[in-house]
Amino acid sequence: MTRASLNKQPHEVASMFDRVAERYDLTNDVLSLGQDRRWRKEVARAVDARPAQKVLDLAAGTATSSLPFARTGAYVVPCDFSLGMLQVGKKNHAWLPFTAGDATRLPFKDDVFDAVTISFGLRNVQDFDAGLREMYRVTRPGGRVVICEFSHPTWAPFRTVYTEYLMRALPPVARAVSSNPDAYVYLAESIRAWPDQSALAGHLRKAGWSKVAWRNLTGGVVTLHRGFKEA
């Protein structure tokens, strides 16, 4: 198994990410033309982690996304269901409390975290509504969720060009830099099949989150979604 299907069986997705772990961060940087760095900075601003706060970083992979929260003095828990990703992350950042966990059955008590965030990972959760409910469960009253995910460009001509890039240009580029290029065919397909901004906001509200809002980045290629758990 080198890639997952859009059925998103957890063992398939985890195995796929295990195989891309070693060069995952480099591949993302190349495929996004360096935009992933800007997107992660925007996530850090939206989460607004503070000293002594508890932050859960889901689908953290190698913990590249977790480091900005740790630098603020927050206690950040990088969590992922790919053991391969966690192993690479632990090798590079041994001091972080890496935790293996499934987003639909999180290994944490209720009302623990001040903030829960997930970047480019909700799309890979088989039952992402269950994932949104689990994020709500482990967030303390008054806490927040920040989701960074690929979305749908808002300008129609650009949306067409972007779709062509995903399906035609992305796989050849991935073959040049990734340790498992077939995985990026799945990633391209999963992006195209993902709900748009308004639809995902509806899923957040259905899971219990309030004050739901979103902000487009790079013309809607990526969208930041935010919600709060009422105190």
Side-chain angles (χ1 to χ4, degrees), residues 61-78:
T62 61
T64 298
S65 57
S66 306
L67 295 176
F69 311 128
R71 293 188 190 109
T72 69
Y75 178 78
V76 57
V77 178

Side-chain angles (χ1 to χ4, degrees), residues 21 31 38 52 56-57 80 86 90 98 120 127-128 140-141 144 149-150 161 167 178 187 208 220 229:
L31 293 178
R38 179 196 161 216
L56 174 61
D57 186 17
D80 204 294
L86 294 174
K90 194 68 175 177
F98 287 89
F120 309 112
D127 183 353
F128 72 88
R140 69 164 180 79
R144 60 222 183 261
E149 189 52 87
F150 288 109
V161 172
M167 299 313 298
S178 173
L187 292 174
K229 184 172 181 175

